[in-house]
DNA sequence: CGGGATATTGAAGATTTTCAAATCAAGTGG
DNA sequence: CCACTTGATTTGAAAATCTTCAATATCCCG
């Protein structure tokens, strides 16, 4: 398995070996960042793009009442902050949840690699646009799905996304989130997030032990959640080869 | 007041007169589309970018249970479908709500105008990225705000966005949505959407009559909603001039 | 081992959905 | 002009879902 950035972007465009080498060159010297650390602050004018190579981070916004909403999870191979090239200021913050290995790539280096390879440029845009598609799906879930279905849907999504970067096998993946963070991500109170997860456990759809989620029957969980993976755009590369 | 596209994009980058002329050239021959008509279907490979010049459209996704979620409202001056240049397939549909005047701009024409003017290119990207920021704010609201606050927040947002394109005065704007559509946008049942709006009316925060929303005291409504307009990025042009 | 954070549980109360019925508004054809 | 139809709004009431508060249990780190 290649590094997470290469693995992920390979799903966004048909990269050649030179492209992979360019991406690996960006991936030297990642920083080790502890959990619960802000990588970028809301209102910042970022000079860097962040790439998570290991661990879990998140996009967050604070409400006027001082509560925190988690707008999206940033998994290994995910790129954050590309949009700040255009939208000068961060309209949300990026924080680590667990300890992470993170690249801080200077804006100029991103510009160079995008100029050098239109395929990498496409893959990077693909990556941000998929993030947006995921965010839209979270919005659908927030409006239409019950707490337990929403939790199930999140687990299905994480499994699919982590699988692509080799961080999940057929049935399990690590999920280093507290119930509070899970609640912030799903728009639920901590207590109700707990109960929703427990309901999934009770129904035998999910086993949660020691920070690891196991899904004994993926099809059953997907059915319960109404999970349809199209929104993850995981097949974009194939489409490009065909079309 | 210039046409809505020019008015809106002028907030995204410091356009010069040549840029405005380019945009006006795109704006000839808009189509008249009735309400409740699909402009682009989920799963499509779009060949066109849509620009709404008048009326209200929306982005929607269907859930596996067959319900419709409205993911965002498309107002005069808004551009849809730019992301399909990269993400071959539409991951959501675009439908009109009211009757609309709509431009269908061929992908090639967009490519040309972006190549001809980096300022227009930046303004177009700005426009899509602001849509995403708005979508994130809807996600915050869905998770954290009560129905009445969410409704109030939507009204504040629509007022701010419509003002920019000359479709709202200091206190009023047209809102041609049914309660059902309002509910789909806010993630509420039709009945509860109705009651939330009625609560705002009862509190004197909003007057709703004949498809028109009037806000007697904008500061009061904004306070009630916890509305902070940063996420609309309405000052990007100024930032660029300064920075 | 101690202490702080996290998880778990119960119960009351708030919010929201659902269902069903009544009212209203606008257009259509007689 | 009126009866009729259709779609939208409005209201009530019961049930489902979710939050809050408070207490207890468990885990993990130093």
């Amino acid at each position: 398995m290649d590094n997470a950035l290469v693995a992920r972007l390979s799903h966004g465009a048909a990269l050649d070996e030179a492209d992979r080498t360019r991406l690996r060159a960006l991936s030297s010297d990642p920083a080790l960042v502890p959990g619960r650390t802000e990588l970028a602050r809301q209102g910042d004018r970022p000079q860097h793009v962040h790439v998570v190579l290991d661990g879990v981070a998140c996009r967050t916004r604070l409400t006027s009442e001082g509560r925190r909403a988690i707008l999206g999870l940033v998994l290994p191979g995910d790129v954050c902050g590309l949009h700040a090239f255009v939208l000068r200021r961060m309209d949300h913050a990026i924080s680590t949840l667990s300890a992470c290995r993170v690249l801080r790539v200077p804006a100029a280096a991103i510009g160079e690699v995008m100029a050098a390879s239109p395929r990498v440029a496409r893959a990077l845009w693909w990556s941000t646009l998929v993030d947006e598609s995921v965010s839209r799906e979270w919005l659908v879930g927030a409006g239409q799905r019950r707490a337990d279905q929403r939790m199930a849907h999140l687990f299905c999504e994480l499994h699919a996304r982590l699988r692509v970067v080799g961080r999940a096998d057929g049935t399990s993946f690590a999920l280093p989130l507290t119930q509070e963070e899970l609640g912030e991500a799903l728009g639920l109170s901590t207590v109700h997030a707990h109960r929703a997860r427990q309901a999934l456990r009770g129904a035998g759809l999910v086993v949660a032990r020691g920070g690891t989620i196991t899904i004994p029957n993926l099809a059953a969980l997907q059915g319960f959640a109404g999970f349809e993976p199209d929104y993850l755009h995981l097949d974009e590369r194939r489409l490009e080869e065909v079309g």
Side-chain angles (χ1 to χ4, degrees), chain A:
Chain A
M1 177 58 65
D2 221 325
N3 90 46
L5 177 62
V6 176
R8 166 126 164 93
L9 292 190
S10 293
H11 282 257
L15 304 182
D16 62 25
E17 198 42 44
D19 295 330
R20 288 173 217 275
T21 304
R22 286 184 186 99
L23 290 174
R24 281 188 209 104
L26 291 181
S27 307
S28 60
D29 195 31
L32 295 172
V33 181
R36 304 178 189 204
T37 307
E38 272 203 331
L39 296 176
R41 215 172 299 269
Q42 190 167 336
D44 268 6
R45 295 203 192 182
Q47 308 298 320
H48 298 270
V49 168
H50 293 275
V51 182
V52 170
L53 293 180
D54 269 302
V56 179
C58 65
R59 305 164 183 279
T60 69
R61 222 179 242 181
L62 294 173
T63 68
S64 50
E65 286 105 33
R67 307 212 313 187
R68 182 172 85 153
I70 293 183
L71 302 167
L73 293 179
V74 184
L75 304 181
D78 286 350
V79 180
C80 300
L82 252 197
H83 75 278
F85 281 5
V86 175
L87 233 52
R88 305 309 190 79
R89 289 180 185 279
M90 290 294 293
D91 55 41
H92 59 274
I94 313 288
S95 291
T96 59
L97 291 169
S98 68
C100 290
R101 281 200 316 139
V102 179
L103 298 177
R104 297 181 75 229
V105 185
I110 292 286
E112 279 165 27
V113 74
M114 286 178 86
S117 164
R119 288 172 304 281
V120 171
R122 165 179 282 269
L124 285 169
W125 278 117
W126 168 83
S127 153
T128 7
L129 293 170
V130 172
D131 290 346
E132 312 298 358
S133 178
V134 170
S135 151
R136 280 190 284 274
E137 188 62 29
W138 284 30
L139 186 55
V140 172
Q144 316 251 317
R145 285 192 265 266
R146 273 199 332 262
D148 50 359
Q149 296 175 312
R150 217 136 92 212
M151 177 84 63
H153 198 278
L154 179 63
F155 290 162
C156 292
E157 173 183 317
L158 291 176
H159 179 259
R161 288 170 62 188
L162 289 170
R163 190 106 209 240
V164 166
V165 291
R167 301 302 196 274
D169 61 21
T171 59
S172 302
F173 56 91
L175 186 65
L177 299 208
T178 65
Q179 312 266 345
E180 184 180 10
E181 290 159 345
L182 226 33
E184 289 172 324
L186 296 170
L188 298 172
S189 66
T190 306
V191 171
H192 205 60
H194 167 66
R195 290 203 240 256
R197 203 193 58 174
Q198 209 163 43
L200 295 182
R201 237 195 291 167
L205 290 168
V206 162
V207 180
R209 264 174 45 88
T212 298
I213 300 293
T214 301
I215 305 172
N217 181 343
L218 186 57
L221 188 66
Q222 290 177 339
F224 178 79
F227 179 75
E228 295 172 354
D230 298 10
Y231 73 96
L232 294 172
H233 294 270
L234 290 179
D235 53 356
E236 210 64 12
R237 182 184 39 171
R238 191 151 40 80
L239 284 181
E240 189 174 31
E241 283 162 359
V242 172

